[in-house]
Short mmCIF file of all heavy atoms in Angstrom, two decimals:
data_model
loop_
_atom_site.label_atom_id
_atom_site.label_comp_id
_atom_site.label_asym_id
_atom_site.label_seq_id
_atom_site.Cartn_x
_atom_site.Cartn_y
_atom_site.Cartn_z
N TRP A 99 -29.86 -11.42 -16.26
CA TRP A 99 -30.29 -11.67 -17.62
C TRP A 99 -30.69 -10.33 -18.22
O TRP A 99 -31.28 -9.49 -17.53
CB TRP A 99 -31.50 -12.61 -17.66
CG TRP A 99 -31.17 -14.00 -17.25
CD1 TRP A 99 -31.35 -14.56 -16.01
CD2 TRP A 99 -30.58 -15.02 -18.05
NE1 TRP A 99 -30.91 -15.86 -16.01
CE2 TRP A 99 -30.44 -16.17 -17.25
CE3 TRP A 99 -30.17 -15.07 -19.38
CZ2 TRP A 99 -29.89 -17.36 -17.74
CZ3 TRP A 99 -29.63 -16.26 -19.86
CH2 TRP A 99 -29.49 -17.38 -19.05
N CYS A 100 -30.40 -10.12 -19.49
CA CYS A 100 -30.73 -8.89 -20.19
C CYS A 100 -31.97 -9.15 -21.04
O CYS A 100 -31.97 -10.05 -21.88
CB CYS A 100 -29.57 -8.44 -21.08
SG CYS A 100 -27.98 -8.41 -20.20
N ALA A 101 -33.00 -8.36 -20.84
CA ALA A 101 -34.28 -8.58 -21.50
C ALA A 101 -34.15 -8.50 -23.03
O ALA A 101 -33.32 -7.75 -23.56
CB ALA A 101 -35.29 -7.54 -21.02
N THR A 102 -35.00 -9.26 -23.70
CA THR A 102 -35.07 -9.17 -25.16
C THR A 102 -35.57 -7.78 -25.52
O THR A 102 -36.54 -7.28 -24.96
CB THR A 102 -36.01 -10.25 -25.71
OG1 THR A 102 -35.50 -11.53 -25.31
CG2 THR A 102 -36.11 -10.18 -27.22
N SER A 103 -34.86 -7.15 -26.44
CA SER A 103 -35.16 -5.76 -26.77
C SER A 103 -34.96 -5.52 -28.26
O SER A 103 -34.09 -6.13 -28.88
CB SER A 103 -34.24 -4.84 -25.97
OG SER A 103 -34.46 -3.50 -26.30
N ASN A 104 -35.76 -4.63 -28.80
CA ASN A 104 -35.58 -4.19 -30.17
C ASN A 104 -34.55 -3.06 -30.12
O ASN A 104 -34.83 -1.99 -29.60
CB ASN A 104 -36.90 -3.72 -30.76
CG ASN A 104 -36.79 -3.47 -32.25
OD1 ASN A 104 -35.92 -4.02 -32.92
ND2 ASN A 104 -37.68 -2.64 -32.76
N PHE A 105 -33.38 -3.31 -30.63
CA PHE A 105 -32.26 -2.38 -30.55
C PHE A 105 -32.23 -1.51 -31.78
O PHE A 105 -31.91 -1.97 -32.88
CB PHE A 105 -30.97 -3.21 -30.43
CG PHE A 105 -29.98 -2.67 -29.46
CD1 PHE A 105 -30.28 -2.57 -28.12
CD2 PHE A 105 -28.74 -2.26 -29.89
CE1 PHE A 105 -29.35 -2.09 -27.21
CE2 PHE A 105 -27.81 -1.77 -29.01
CZ PHE A 105 -28.12 -1.68 -27.66
N ALA A 106 -32.55 -0.24 -31.63
CA ALA A 106 -32.67 0.68 -32.76
C ALA A 106 -31.33 0.92 -33.45
O ALA A 106 -30.27 0.82 -32.83
CB ALA A 106 -33.25 2.01 -32.27
N ALA A 107 -31.41 1.28 -34.71
CA ALA A 107 -30.22 1.66 -35.46
C ALA A 107 -29.57 2.85 -34.77
O ALA A 107 -30.25 3.79 -34.34
CB ALA A 107 -30.60 2.01 -36.89
N GLY A 108 -28.25 2.81 -34.61
CA GLY A 108 -27.52 3.91 -33.98
C GLY A 108 -27.53 3.90 -32.46
O GLY A 108 -26.90 4.75 -31.83
N ALA A 109 -28.21 2.96 -31.84
CA ALA A 109 -28.34 2.94 -30.37
C ALA A 109 -27.11 2.33 -29.70
O ALA A 109 -26.46 1.46 -30.25
CB ALA A 109 -29.58 2.15 -29.97
N THR A 110 -26.82 2.83 -28.51
CA THR A 110 -25.84 2.24 -27.62
C THR A 110 -26.51 2.14 -26.25
O THR A 110 -27.07 3.12 -25.76
CB THR A 110 -24.56 3.09 -27.49
OG1 THR A 110 -23.96 3.19 -28.78
CG2 THR A 110 -23.58 2.47 -26.52
N ALA A 111 -26.49 0.95 -25.65
CA ALA A 111 -27.14 0.76 -24.35
C ALA A 111 -26.42 -0.33 -23.58
O ALA A 111 -25.64 -1.11 -24.13
CB ALA A 111 -28.61 0.39 -24.54
N GLY A 112 -26.69 -0.35 -22.27
CA GLY A 112 -26.05 -1.33 -21.40
C GLY A 112 -27.06 -2.12 -20.61
O GLY A 112 -28.15 -1.63 -20.30
N CYS A 113 -26.67 -3.32 -20.28
CA CYS A 113 -27.43 -4.19 -19.40
C CYS A 113 -26.64 -4.25 -18.10
O CYS A 113 -25.54 -4.79 -18.06
CB CYS A 113 -27.57 -5.56 -20.04
SG CYS A 113 -28.31 -6.80 -18.98
N PHE A 114 -27.19 -3.66 -17.04
CA PHE A 114 -26.48 -3.48 -15.77
C PHE A 114 -26.84 -4.58 -14.78
O PHE A 114 -28.00 -4.75 -14.42
CB PHE A 114 -26.86 -2.13 -15.15
CG PHE A 114 -26.36 -0.94 -15.92
CD1 PHE A 114 -26.98 -0.53 -17.09
CD2 PHE A 114 -25.25 -0.23 -15.47
CE1 PHE A 114 -26.51 0.57 -17.80
CE2 PHE A 114 -24.78 0.87 -16.16
CZ PHE A 114 -25.41 1.27 -17.33
N ALA A 115 -25.83 -5.32 -14.34
CA ALA A 115 -26.02 -6.33 -13.30
C ALA A 115 -26.20 -5.62 -11.95
O ALA A 115 -25.86 -4.44 -11.81
CB ALA A 115 -24.81 -7.26 -13.26
N PRO A 116 -26.70 -6.33 -10.94
CA PRO A 116 -26.86 -5.72 -9.62
C PRO A 116 -25.51 -5.26 -9.04
O PRO A 116 -24.47 -5.85 -9.32
CB PRO A 116 -27.43 -6.85 -8.76
CG PRO A 116 -28.04 -7.80 -9.72
CD PRO A 116 -27.21 -7.70 -10.97
#
Side-chain angles (χ1 to χ4, degrees):
W99 291 97
C100 310
T102 301
S103 178
N104 189 23
F105 221 63
T110 299
C113 173
F114 292 76

